[in-house]
PDB file of all heavy atoms in Angstrom:
ATOM      1  N   GLY L 949      -2.117  18.806  16.121  1.00 96.00           N
ATOM      2  CA  GLY L 949      -0.842  19.312  16.621  1.00 96.00           C
ATOM      3  C   GLY L 949       0.121  18.170  16.916  1.00 96.00           C
ATOM      4  O   GLY L 949       1.345  18.307  16.748  1.00 96.00           O
ATOM      5  N   GLU L 953       4.152  17.834  16.046  1.00 96.00           N
ATOM      6  CA  GLU L 953       5.159  17.537  17.077  1.00 96.00           C
ATOM      7  C   GLU L 953       5.893  16.230  16.755  1.00 96.00           C
ATOM      8  O   GLU L 953       7.109  16.129  16.921  1.00 96.00           O
ATOM      9  CB  GLU L 953       4.483  17.410  18.442  1.00 96.00           C
ATOM     10  CG  GLU L 953       3.907  18.713  18.955  1.00 96.00           C
ATOM     11  CD  GLU L 953       3.065  18.550  20.222  1.00 96.00           C
ATOM     12  OE1 GLU L 953       2.671  17.412  20.542  1.00 96.00           O
ATOM     13  OE2 GLU L 953       2.788  19.563  20.871  1.00 96.00           O
ATOM     14  N   TYR L 961       8.607  15.225  24.571  1.00 91.00           N
ATOM     15  CA  TYR L 961       7.662  14.112  24.760  1.00 91.00           C
ATOM     16  C   TYR L 961       7.208  13.515  23.430  1.00 91.00           C
ATOM     17  O   TYR L 961       6.742  12.394  23.377  1.00 91.00           O
ATOM     18  CB  TYR L 961       6.462  14.503  25.635  1.00 91.00           C
ATOM     19  CG  TYR L 961       5.609  15.669  25.154  1.00 91.00           C
ATOM     20  CD1 TYR L 961       4.768  15.544  24.053  1.00 91.00           C
ATOM     21  CD2 TYR L 961       5.617  16.890  25.818  1.00 91.00           C
ATOM     22  CE1 TYR L 961       3.975  16.596  23.618  1.00 91.00           C
ATOM     23  CE2 TYR L 961       4.836  17.959  25.394  1.00 91.00           C
ATOM     24  CZ  TYR L 961       4.011  17.806  24.293  1.00 91.00           C
ATOM     25  OH  TYR L 961       3.238  18.845  23.870  1.00 91.00           O
ATOM     26  N   TYR L1006      -1.072   7.850  18.162  1.00 93.00           N
ATOM     27  CA  TYR L1006      -1.133   8.912  17.137  1.00 93.00           C
ATOM     28  C   TYR L1006      -0.379   8.532  15.861  1.00 93.00           C
ATOM     29  O   TYR L1006       0.181   9.390  15.187  1.00 93.00           O
ATOM     30  CB  TYR L1006      -0.546  10.229  17.671  1.00 93.00           C
ATOM     31  CG  TYR L1006      -0.951  10.590  19.069  1.00 93.00           C
ATOM     32  CD1 TYR L1006      -0.003  10.997  20.012  1.00 93.00           C
ATOM     33  CD2 TYR L1006      -2.290  10.545  19.463  1.00 93.00           C
ATOM     34  CE1 TYR L1006      -0.372  11.335  21.301  1.00 93.00           C
ATOM     35  CE2 TYR L1006      -2.667  10.891  20.744  1.00 93.00           C
ATOM     36  CZ  TYR L1006      -1.706  11.275  21.658  1.00 93.00           C
ATOM     37  OH  TYR L1006      -2.071  11.617  22.936  1.00 93.00           O
ATOM     38  N   ASN L1062      -6.504  28.911  25.112  1.00 98.00           N
ATOM     39  CA  ASN L1062      -5.254  29.348  24.491  1.00 98.00           C
ATOM     40  C   ASN L1062      -4.855  28.335  23.414  1.00 98.00           C
ATOM     41  O   ASN L1062      -4.725  27.141  23.697  1.00 98.00           O
ATOM     42  CB  ASN L1062      -4.150  29.461  25.550  1.00 98.00           C
ATOM     43  CG  ASN L1062      -2.941  30.197  25.006  1.00 98.00           C
ATOM     44  OD1 ASN L1062      -3.086  31.212  24.320  1.00 98.00           O
ATOM     45  ND2 ASN L1062      -1.759  29.692  25.297  1.00 98.00           N
ATOM     46  N   GLY L1063      -4.666  28.850  22.177  1.00 98.00           N
ATOM     47  CA  GLY L1063      -4.470  27.944  21.038  1.00 98.00           C
ATOM     48  C   GLY L1063      -5.817  27.558  20.467  1.00 98.00           C
ATOM     49  O   GLY L1063      -6.039  26.434  20.030  1.00 98.00           O
ATOM     50  N   GLY L1066      -6.806  25.946  16.622  1.00 97.00           N
ATOM     51  CA  GLY L1066      -6.317  24.666  16.112  1.00 97.00           C
ATOM     52  C   GLY L1066      -7.337  23.557  16.286  1.00 97.00           C
ATOM     53  O   GLY L1066      -8.545  23.804  16.397  1.00 97.00           O
ATOM     54  N   SER L1067      -6.834  22.348  16.346  1.00 97.00           N
ATOM     55  CA  SER L1067      -7.710  21.177  16.360  1.00 97.00           C
ATOM     56  C   SER L1067      -8.569  21.117  17.627  1.00 97.00           C
ATOM     57  O   SER L1067      -9.804  21.186  17.569  1.00 97.00           O
ATOM     58  CB  SER L1067      -6.834  19.926  16.232  1.00 97.00           C
ATOM     59  OG  SER L1067      -7.587  18.780  16.440  1.00 97.00           O
ATOM     60  N   ALA L1068      -7.929  21.015  18.791  1.00 98.00           N
ATOM     61  CA  ALA L1068      -8.698  20.931  20.042  1.00 98.00           C
ATOM     62  C   ALA L1068      -9.387  22.255  20.346  1.00 98.00           C
ATOM     63  O   ALA L1068     -10.525  22.292  20.825  1.00 98.00           O
ATOM     64  CB  ALA L1068      -7.770  20.543  21.193  1.00 98.00           C
ATOM     65  N   ASP L1087      -5.343  33.251  19.733  1.00 97.00           N
ATOM     66  CA  ASP L1087      -4.551  32.649  18.644  1.00 97.00           C
ATOM     67  C   ASP L1087      -3.912  33.775  17.833  1.00 97.00           C
ATOM     68  O   ASP L1087      -3.940  34.929  18.269  1.00 97.00           O
ATOM     69  CB  ASP L1087      -5.422  31.715  17.775  1.00 97.00           C
ATOM     70  CG  ASP L1087      -4.611  30.527  17.259  1.00 97.00           C
ATOM     71  OD1 ASP L1087      -3.618  30.762  16.543  1.00 97.00           O
ATOM     72  OD2 ASP L1087      -4.946  29.370  17.581  1.00 97.00           O
ATOM     73  N   ASN L1088      -3.332  33.440  16.664  1.00 96.00           N
ATOM     74  CA  ASN L1088      -2.630  34.499  15.917  1.00 96.00           C
ATOM     75  C   ASN L1088      -3.607  35.417  15.170  1.00 96.00           C
ATOM     76  O   ASN L1088      -4.784  35.083  14.997  1.00 96.00           O
ATOM     77  CB  ASN L1088      -1.539  33.898  15.013  1.00 96.00           C
ATOM     78  CG  ASN L1088      -2.100  33.189  13.784  1.00 96.00           C
ATOM     79  OD1 ASN L1088      -3.044  33.652  13.148  1.00 96.00           O
ATOM     80  ND2 ASN L1088      -1.521  32.041  13.455  1.00 96.00           N
ATOM     81  N   LYS L1091      -6.271  34.371  12.650  1.00 97.00           N
ATOM     82  CA  LYS L1091      -7.372  33.449  12.979  1.00 97.00           C
ATOM     83  C   LYS L1091      -8.485  34.087  13.818  1.00 97.00           C
ATOM     84  O   LYS L1091      -9.428  33.406  14.216  1.00 97.00           O
ATOM     85  CB  LYS L1091      -6.819  32.232  13.749  1.00 97.00           C
ATOM     86  CG  LYS L1091      -5.771  31.463  12.959  1.00 97.00           C
ATOM     87  CD  LYS L1091      -5.330  30.185  13.638  1.00 97.00           C
ATOM     88  CE  LYS L1091      -4.124  29.596  12.932  1.00 97.00           C
ATOM     89  NZ  LYS L1091      -3.599  28.381  13.519  1.00 97.00           N
ATOM     90  N   TYR L1106      -2.254  36.498  20.142  1.00 97.00           N
ATOM     91  CA  TYR L1106      -1.101  36.180  21.006  1.00 97.00           C
ATOM     92  C   TYR L1106       0.179  36.865  20.535  1.00 97.00           C
ATOM     93  O   TYR L1106       1.144  36.973  21.290  1.00 97.00           O
ATOM     94  CB  TYR L1106      -0.903  34.670  21.160  1.00 97.00           C
ATOM     95  CG  TYR L1106      -0.286  33.924  19.987  1.00 97.00           C
ATOM     96  CD1 TYR L1106       1.081  33.971  19.731  1.00 97.00           C
ATOM     97  CD2 TYR L1106      -1.067  33.124  19.155  1.00 97.00           C
ATOM     98  CE1 TYR L1106       1.637  33.269  18.673  1.00 97.00           C
ATOM     99  CE2 TYR L1106      -0.524  32.420  18.091  1.00 97.00           C
ATOM    100  CZ  TYR L1106       0.830  32.501  17.850  1.00 97.00           C
ATOM    101  OH  TYR L1106       1.375  31.814  16.799  1.00 97.00           O
ATOM    102  N   HIS L1127       3.227  27.699  27.564  1.00 95.00           N
ATOM    103  CA  HIS L1127       4.667  27.986  27.617  1.00 95.00           C
ATOM    104  C   HIS L1127       5.017  29.034  28.674  1.00 95.00           C
ATOM    105  O   HIS L1127       6.143  29.488  28.745  1.00 95.00           O
ATOM    106  CB  HIS L1127       5.165  28.440  26.239  1.00 95.00           C
ATOM    107  CG  HIS L1127       4.541  29.721  25.788  1.00 95.00           C
ATOM    108  ND1 HIS L1127       3.333  29.741  25.125  1.00 95.00           N
ATOM    109  CD2 HIS L1127       4.911  30.995  25.946  1.00 95.00           C
ATOM    110  CE1 HIS L1127       3.007  31.004  24.888  1.00 95.00           C
ATOM    111  NE2 HIS L1127       3.948  31.782  25.381  1.00 95.00           N
ATOM    112  N   VAL L1146      -2.992  20.972  28.146  1.00 97.00           N
ATOM    113  CA  VAL L1146      -3.124  19.849  27.215  1.00 97.00           C
ATOM    114  C   VAL L1146      -1.767  19.515  26.587  1.00 97.00           C
ATOM    115  O   VAL L1146      -1.418  18.357  26.393  1.00 97.00           O
ATOM    116  CB  VAL L1146      -4.147  20.208  26.110  1.00 97.00           C
ATOM    117  CG1 VAL L1146      -4.269  19.088  25.093  1.00 97.00           C
ATOM    118  CG2 VAL L1146      -5.506  20.508  26.727  1.00 97.00           C
ATOM    119  N   LEU L1174      -3.957  17.926  31.777  1.00 97.00           N
ATOM    120  CA  LEU L1174      -5.136  17.169  31.338  1.00 97.00           C
ATOM    121  C   LEU L1174      -4.621  15.945  30.592  1.00 97.00           C
ATOM    122  O   LEU L1174      -4.013  16.078  29.528  1.00 97.00           O
ATOM    123  CB  LEU L1174      -5.994  18.023  30.403  1.00 97.00           C
ATOM    124  CG  LEU L1174      -7.231  17.321  29.842  1.00 97.00           C
ATOM    125  CD1 LEU L1174      -8.313  17.206  30.900  1.00 97.00           C
ATOM    126  CD2 LEU L1174      -7.789  18.073  28.648  1.00 97.00           C
ATOM    127  N   VAL L1176      -5.736  12.982  28.610  1.00 96.00           N
ATOM    128  CA  VAL L1176      -6.989  12.589  27.962  1.00 96.00           C
ATOM    129  C   VAL L1176      -7.149  11.071  27.966  1.00 96.00           C
ATOM    130  O   VAL L1176      -6.212  10.339  27.673  1.00 96.00           O
ATOM    131  CB  VAL L1176      -7.017  13.140  26.517  1.00 96.00           C
ATOM    132  CG1 VAL L1176      -8.213  12.618  25.752  1.00 96.00           C
ATOM    133  CG2 VAL L1176      -7.033  14.658  26.558  1.00 96.00           C
ATOM    134  N   GLY L1218       1.386  28.072  10.618  1.00 88.00           N
ATOM    135  CA  GLY L1218       0.398  28.788  11.422  1.00 88.00           C
ATOM    136  C   GLY L1218      -0.758  29.326  10.602  1.00 88.00           C
ATOM    137  O   GLY L1218      -1.418  30.273  10.999  1.00 88.00           O
TER     138      GLY L1218
HETATM  139  N1  NAP B1513      -2.923  15.814  27.177  1.00 80.27           N
HETATM  140  C1  NAP B1513      -3.246  14.816  26.364  1.00 80.27           C
HETATM  141  O1  NAP B1513      -3.674  13.741  26.786  1.00 80.27           O
HETATM  142  C2  NAP B1513      -3.106  15.047  24.876  1.00 80.27           C
HETATM  143  C3  NAP B1513      -3.668  14.159  23.962  1.00 80.27           C
HETATM  144  C4  NAP B1513      -3.520  14.424  22.621  1.00 80.27           C
HETATM  145  C5  NAP B1513      -2.825  15.564  22.182  1.00 80.27           C
HETATM  146  N2  NAP B1513      -2.287  16.384  23.130  1.00 80.27           N
HETATM  147  C6  NAP B1513      -1.551  17.611  22.762  1.00 80.27           C
HETATM  148  O2  NAP B1513      -2.460  18.611  22.341  1.00 80.27           O
HETATM  149  C7  NAP B1513      -1.631  19.655  21.818  1.00 80.27           C
HETATM  150  C8  NAP B1513      -2.148  20.488  20.695  1.00 80.27           C
HETATM  151  O3  NAP B1513      -3.401  20.226  20.254  1.00 80.27           O
HETATM  152  P1  NAP B1513      -3.983  20.675  18.831  1.00 80.27           P
HETATM  153  O4  NAP B1513      -4.059  19.457  17.985  1.00 80.27           O
HETATM  154  O5  NAP B1513      -5.195  21.456  19.091  1.00 80.27           O
HETATM  155  O6  NAP B1513      -2.850  21.653  18.180  1.00 80.27           O
HETATM  156  P2  NAP B1513      -2.965  22.575  16.921  1.00 80.27           P
HETATM  157  O7  NAP B1513      -4.061  22.128  16.024  1.00 80.27           O
HETATM  158  O8  NAP B1513      -1.575  22.693  16.384  1.00 80.27           O
HETATM  159  O9  NAP B1513      -3.417  23.982  17.529  1.00 80.27           O
HETATM  160  C9  NAP B1513      -2.574  24.788  18.272  1.00 80.27           C
HETATM  161  C10 NAP B1513      -3.016  26.227  18.062  1.00 80.27           C
HETATM  162  O10 NAP B1513      -2.266  27.050  18.971  1.00 80.27           O
HETATM  163  C11 NAP B1513      -1.838  28.195  18.265  1.00 80.27           C
HETATM  164  N3  NAP B1513      -0.655  28.774  18.905  1.00 80.27           N
HETATM  165  C12 NAP B1513       0.666  28.603  18.611  1.00 80.27           C
HETATM  166  N4  NAP B1513       1.424  29.316  19.454  1.00 80.27           N
HETATM  167  C13 NAP B1513       0.583  29.950  20.297  1.00 80.27           C
HETATM  168  C14 NAP B1513       0.767  30.819  21.381  1.00 80.27           C
HETATM  169  N5  NAP B1513       1.988  31.206  21.780  1.00 80.27           N
HETATM  170  N6  NAP B1513      -0.321  31.281  22.031  1.00 80.27           N
HETATM  171  C15 NAP B1513      -1.568  30.922  21.642  1.00 80.27           C
HETATM  172  N7  NAP B1513      -1.810  30.088  20.605  1.00 80.27           N
HETATM  173  C16 NAP B1513      -0.748  29.595  19.946  1.00 80.27           C
HETATM  174  C17 NAP B1513      -1.542  27.645  16.892  1.00 80.27           C
HETATM  175  O11 NAP B1513      -1.484  28.738  16.004  1.00 80.27           O
HETATM  176  P3  NAP B1513      -0.257  28.959  15.025  1.00 80.27           P
HETATM  177  O12 NAP B1513      -0.854  28.448  13.778  1.00 80.27           O
HETATM  178  O13 NAP B1513      -0.012  30.424  15.073  1.00 80.27           O
HETATM  179  O14 NAP B1513       0.930  28.159  15.444  1.00 80.27           O
HETATM  180  C18 NAP B1513      -2.738  26.728  16.664  1.00 80.27           C
HETATM  181  O15 NAP B1513      -3.856  27.429  16.158  1.00 80.27           O
HETATM  182  C19 NAP B1513      -0.352  18.991  21.354  1.00 80.27           C
HETATM  183  O16 NAP B1513       0.672  19.500  22.162  1.00 80.27           O
HETATM  184  C20 NAP B1513      -0.580  17.517  21.625  1.00 80.27           C
HETATM  185  O17 NAP B1513       0.586  16.834  22.007  1.00 80.27           O
HETATM  186  C21 NAP B1513      -2.416  16.155  24.437  1.00 80.27           C
END
Side-chain angles (χ1 to χ4, degrees):
E953 293 172 344
Y961 58 72
Y1006 317 132
N1062 193 43
S1067 171
D1087 214 300
N1088 74 41
K1091 301 186 190 179
Y1106 76 77
H1127 63 274
V1146 178
L1174 178 75
V1176 173

